[in-house]
Structures are given as structure tokens and as C-alpha cells.
Amino acid sequence: MSLSIILRAATVALAAVVAVGGGSVVAVEPPVVLLTGFEPFGPDRPDNPSWEGIKALDGLDWRGCKLVARRIPVVWDEPMKRLEALADELKPVAVFAFGQGLPGSFTIEALARNRRAPYPDNDGRAPAAPTVTVDGPDELRATADVDRLVRALVARGHVVRRSEDAGRYLCEETLYSLETLKKAGKLRGTVVFSHVPPLGGRVGGRPVDAAAVEKYVRDLLDAWGGPEKTVSIEPTAFQQAPSEQAREREARASVERYFKVWSDQDMRAYDDCFMADAVIQHVDARGRLSSLPRGRFVAGQRDAHRRSPEPMVEVPESIDIRFEGRIARAVVHWKLTAGARVEKGYDHFTLMLDRDRWRIVNLLFYSTDED
């Protein structure tokens, strides 16, 4: 079966029903786009625009996806707990999170910091720890193409800007949690965090109410375009590809994750690095080529870890990536250590975008027997 046929079949799978053996029909759940907002916060607890603007969208159909709206408590540590649970429950193809920002404009956040400010939450407590995660990086860049989304929304008449200061409160914690979960492979789709202005003010000469925030949310979804493609709502009406830097960064992160989860012996995450029908090929020391399907290969890697008398760790020493349309090709020079044993070699990856993440279509690997 050709790649184009496989892609068309995947799109058909989003239909409402699918026939199975014996002529029976089984309902197929549409993919979920998760929307989150916050509960009211502060001494007077006014309505929070981030929730008021999304709650009416809960359960609606949008371009073959189901919108699901959930409210997050304004309590330290809750964003990570709630988002991880929702990711496990709903398997969303995208998460769009919203929080209350400053008057005057909407913003899309491009940077999340690990460090928290010592502000009290709705329980009256300051954060128990100074960081969102103990061993996480100081900063995580947004993986979404923030600039493209901002341009598209401005073209629709919204007053919206890019921001790199999310406030060091629960909003920033939410974006940091989303990007952490995505980096760990627990969220597989697009993640975006946007601040919306308080209710009762004016932006661009127009009043800010729940309907105005909902309109902004709908236009942001349209700017994203959906899980299979990204559609611009700028006047050109032409599709815009992600920036070259962002595309290479995402592909590189997928390759690095492949080596990390293998070394961590997280074989479930390792299996998730591959497309379902991926083929793995190996060239041995005598130049003979062998091929295995994904399932047998992953099982063999699991057994190799179990049989190894020393923990095996494999790291990429260099990664070279080039792109051919929707395909990325990566050549990786790797080093494997297991106690005193050291082995080096090359992996040749062919990757394809699948639900906003690069996954392996084909892997060809061999050892160079370097010491």
C-alpha cells in the first residue's frame, strides 16, 4: 500500500462510523481538542474570562474534532496533575489553554519558565517548591508557531501580541506543564497557551465579554487549522508552513527523545517513536541486510536490555537533518556504552509528521565497530 493511500485511510478513520467484520458498524469517537481555562481567582472572585470564553464550546463539533472544555483550579501544582490526567483520559490531538491576562490585548505565550513567584493561590498558600519541576530546564520555548498564529489573528482584526513573560503564576505553570508533558511524550499534539483580557474592559474599541473571548478562541482554532493540516486565515488564504527553525527543532527533539527513552528502558515510549507500520533494517558486520516490523524490533530491543549484564546507554554524538516536503531524513552518529563496552555506529532515520510530532517511518542502522 502506498504512503498516500495510508494517509487517506487515516483521514477516513475520523468519520463517524466504520464497518467491521460481519457487516456490523462500530461508532468511532472523533479526535479531541482540549480547551482549558481557570476558575475565578483573587479576593472578590470575579468571573474568569478564560473559562467564560470556552465553557459554551464544550462538546461541540469542530472540523471533525470534538471540543472538550475543562476548568483548572488556581492552586499550585494542580495544572500538571490535571493536564496529565486529562491527556491520559482524552488523548487530545491539541490543547489550547487560556488564562486571564492584562487589560488591553490578547497574548500568545512563547516562553515558559520553571521558576515560580511567591504569590498565594486560591487556597491562600504560596508554592511549596520554587520550581514547577525539580529537575526541569529553566525555560521551555513554546513548540507552537506563535508568530504565525499572532499574524493570522491580527489579520482577523484581533489585538493580539506575542509574549515572553507569562507571569510566573499559574498561567506560566500551565504552559510549562504542557510543554513538559509534550516533551515526555504524554501529549502528542499541538499545545498553545494564550492570555485573554479581563471581562468588562475594552480591546480595540470593543467590549470584552464572554462572547468576544469565545470569538477569539474560535479564530485561534481556525488559525491552527486542525490536527492534519495548518490553514492560514490571513488575507493571502495560502497555507503557511512552520518556520524552518521550528521544524528542525521539533524533528531534532523527536530524534533525541528516541535515544533517551531507549536508554531509560521506557519501551512503551520507545514504541511510540515509530509509525505503526514502520520498518527497521540492520546491516551487520558482513554487509548483510535484515528487516523487521516495528513490533518485533521493539520486542527484541526490550529483550536486549534484559539480557545485558550492564545497563546500556546510547547517545547521539551528531545529528544531521534535511527535509523533503512532509518527510525528514536524519543521519545520526551514535555511541553506545554498557559498562566497559563501547560501540559506535550510524542510524539513518526517515521521519514523517504524525499528529504534530515526527515519527519514524524507516530506520536503517549499523555499527562501525569504533572503540
Side-chain angles (χ1 to χ4, degrees):
M1 182 181 290
S2 71
L3 182 59
S4 62
I5 294 175
I6 294 172
L7 290 173
R8 287 199 298 272
T11 303
V12 172
L14 302 180
V17 294
V18 61
V20 295
S24 60
V25 174
V26 176
V28 174
E29 291 295 325
V32 167
V33 174
L34 175 62
L35 311 175
T36 72
F38 281 102
E39 67 181 1
F41 72 97
D44 299 325
R45 303 289 171 89
D47 289 338
N48 194 313
S50 66
W51 175 247
E52 298 303 312
I54 66 170
K55 65 182 184 181
L57 300 175
D58 185 44
L60 295 185
D61 175 78
W62 178 82
R63 298 192 182 187
C65 297
K66 179 183 178 182
L67 300 182
V68 174
R70 293 291 183 266
R71 194 165 72 164
I72 305 295
V74 183
V75 176
W76 292 111
D77 292 315
E78 283 299 311
M80 182 71 82
K81 294 176 185 176
R82 298 296 178 100
L83 291 167
E84 186 169 6
L86 288 168
D88 185 61
E89 173 193 353
L90 301 172
K91 305 292 188 297
V93 295
V95 182
F96 288 83
F98 302 90
Q100 179 174 313
L102 298 174
S105 74
F106 297 85
T107 63
I108 300 179
E109 300 300 330
L111 178 70
R113 293 167 292 184
N114 196 15
R115 178 113 353 223
R116 294 158 156 172
Y119 305 141
D121 59 18
N122 270 359
D123 289 342
R125 299 188 180 95
T131 57
V132 181
T133 62
V134 174
D135 55 354
D138 292 340
E139 297 178 348
L140 286 173
R141 286 273 166 190
T143 51
D145 192 342
V146 172
D147 292 333
R148 189 193 67 79
L149 295 174
V150 168
R151 290 195 305 268
L153 289 163
V154 169
R156 273 285 179 95
H158 294 282
V159 179
V160 57
R161 61 182 177 84
R162 170 196 174 99
S163 167
E164 294 202 358
D165 184 1
R168 295 175 61 198
Y169 194 43
L170 274 302
C171 290
E172 186 148 33
E173 180 150 329
T174 296
L175 178 56
Y176 193 92
S177 299
L178 286 171
E179 294 293 353
T180 297
L181 292 170
K182 179 165 182 171
K183 189 176 180 181
K186 296 178 181 180
L187 274 172
R188 292 170 54 173
T190 300
V191 297
V192 174
F193 188 91
S194 177
H195 274 114
V196 299
L199 300 174
R202 298 183 74 83
V203 172
R206 291 173 290 190
V208 179
D209 55 16
V213 176
E214 182 181 319
K215 174 67 163 57
Y216 169 81
V217 172
R218 287 179 178 271
D219 284 349
L220 176 55
L221 290 172
D222 286 341
W224 169 55
E228 295 299 326
K229 58 183 178 180
T230 301
V231 178
S232 172
I233 57 174
E234 295 183 74
T236 59
F238 288 109
Q239 181 174 331
Q240 292 186 324
S243 71
E244 293 298 317
Q245 287 184 341
R247 183 168 66 163
E248 180 167 350
R249 184 170 63 245
E250 292 168 4
R252 184 177 295 272
S254 293
V255 172
E256 290 172 343
R257 178 173 179 267
Y258 167 89
F259 286 94
K260 182 180 186 303
V261 296
W262 186 89
S263 299
D264 291 344
Q265 300 185 40
D266 184 350
M267 304 314 289
R268 180 176 179 182
Y270 182 67
D271 186 45
D272 189 51
C273 293
F274 296 90
M275 298 286 282
D277 296 325
V279 174
I280 294 84
Q281 298 173 300
H282 175 239
V283 179
D284 66 19
R286 298 175 62 182
R288 295 175 299 190
L289 177 69
S290 59
S291 299
L292 286 173
R294 173 193 55 81
R296 287 176 58 193
F297 175 75
V298 172
Q301 295 297 295
R302 182 184 292 110
D303 290 342
H305 274 296
R306 290 171 178 166
R307 292 194 304 267
S308 178
E310 301 284 350
M312 295 190 294
V313 176
E314 190 173 69
V315 296
E317 296 200 312
S318 68
I319 303 175
D320 296 314
I321 300 176
R322 62 185 177 90
F323 296 91
E324 302 166 2
R326 290 179 57 87
I327 298 297
R329 299 191 188 277
V331 178
V332 179
H333 186 229
W334 49 260
K335 176 182 177 181
L336 184 149
T337 58
R341 180 169 71 91
V342 177
E343 183 179 346
K344 293 188 177 183
Y346 285 91
D347 283 352
H348 293 251
F349 296 94
T350 301
L351 305 108
M352 187 174 71
L353 271 176
D354 174 48
R355 287 188 289 180
D356 287 345
R357 222 184 78 197
W358 293 95
R359 284 188 168 78
I360 300 165
V361 176
N362 174 256
L363 167 60
L364 171 68
F365 71 100
Y366 54 90
S367 171
T368 55
D369 293 326
E370 298 179 21
D371 295 326

